[in-house]
Amino acid sequence: RMEVTLLQEKTSKLQSEVDRFYSLLSADALMGWQEVDRVFREYVVEKRCFVYRIEVRTGVFPDSETDCEVYLQLKGTGGSTERELLFNPSALDRTFARGSMRCFELSTDVELDELLEARVWMGSTGEQASWMLEDLVVWNTRTGVTHSFPCGRILRHQGSTPVVLSGTRLQQEHCDYLVSLSFSERGA
């Protein structure tokens, strides 16, 4: 009986997580149910082991921000990610605000190795249908390698055609020594 009770509690907890996940991706969200199922399988059921942190910088000029959906795909010498939704105006976020830096994590089951390009798509559902993307900075959390993808131009919805940005590997700063400081009170 104890095992059955524990199993029921775990099942109930998992079901509440599934319900919470699907509520975040409500009917007015931009993904179809096939995409929701894919994301659910890959991020909730299967633990993806390669994580990339992404900084997205929006330009500072007037009308630089957007409230349209934004998608990203990374391509490297070891493979590429799926096309991932970074920004969904139907969800909790509002915009890529002018002069802002937004941070995201993208997980994949494939080690991309040396990053070659970032592909960016813009949707067309918002009122501000253009966006001044300054650049993307992508950091591999496992290796510490960082790549920069400069853009510096205004992006617009182009249907299924992405804007392709070329990456540059940034130099890592190495520390060849460790400084350890300790403080203690001394009696007078």
Side-chain angles (χ1 to χ4, degrees):
R1 289 186 181 196
M2 182 67 128
E3 291 174 351
V4 170
T5 303
L6 289 173
L7 184 59
Q8 288 173 338
E9 288 175 5
K10 288 183 178 184
T11 302
S12 175
K13 185 177 179 181
L14 180 60
Q15 184 61 50
S16 70
E17 288 295 313
V18 169
D19 292 343
R20 185 177 70 81
F21 177 78
Y22 278 102
S23 71
L24 290 174
L25 299 169
S26 60
D28 66 341
L30 299 170
M31 287 192 269
W33 285 110
Q34 290 176 337
E35 181 71 3
V36 171
D37 287 338
R38 182 189 69 81
V39 170
F40 178 75
R41 277 192 316 278
E42 292 178 357
Y43 290 94
V44 177
V45 177
E46 301 171 12
K47 181 66 178 165
R48 300 180 123 199
C49 55
F50 299 103
V51 178
Y52 295 86
R53 288 207 179 112
I54 302 159
E55 294 178 356
V56 180
R57 294 182 206 346
T58 298
V60 297
F61 300 106
D63 299 323
S64 289
E65 66 187 40
T66 189
D67 59 354
C68 291
E69 67 274 18
V70 174
Y71 298 87
L72 174 69
Q73 179 184 37
L74 298 176
K75 183 178 180 184
T77 56
S80 50
T81 66
E82 297 288 328
R83 184 173 101 157
E84 301 290 342
L85 179 65
L86 286 186
F87 173 69
N88 182 350
S90 299
L92 304 174
D93 298 326
R94 294 307 307 153
T95 65
F96 275 110
R98 180 179 132 189
S100 69
M101 181 184 73
R102 304 275 313 268
C103 297
F104 302 91
E105 281 194 354
L106 192 149
S107 299
T108 182
D109 53 357
V110 176
E111 173 63 71
L112 303 179
D113 295 323
E114 192 68 23
L115 295 180
L116 303 172
E117 62 186 35
R119 295 171 179 221
V120 181
W121 289 264
M122 277 192 64
S124 60
T125 59
E127 294 176 15
Q128 298 162 308
S130 63
W131 175 41
M132 174 64 176
L133 173 59
E134 206 52 58
D135 68 351
L136 303 171
V137 176
V138 180
W139 179 59
N140 183 327
T141 61
R142 189 179 65 76
T143 64
V145 174
T146 305
H147 287 80
S148 175
F149 296 88
C151 181
R153 65 181 189 251
I154 294 175
L155 307 182
R156 290 182 173 73
H157 174 69
Q158 297 178 296
S160 62
T161 305
V163 172
V164 180
L165 306 175
S166 295
T168 303
R169 186 176 185 158
L170 300 178
Q171 292 288 21
Q172 293 181 349
E173 295 181 15
H174 295 283
C175 181
D176 294 331
Y177 55 90
L178 174 66
V179 175
S180 178
L181 302 174
S182 64
F183 297 93
S184 64
E185 293 184 31
R186 293 173 40 171

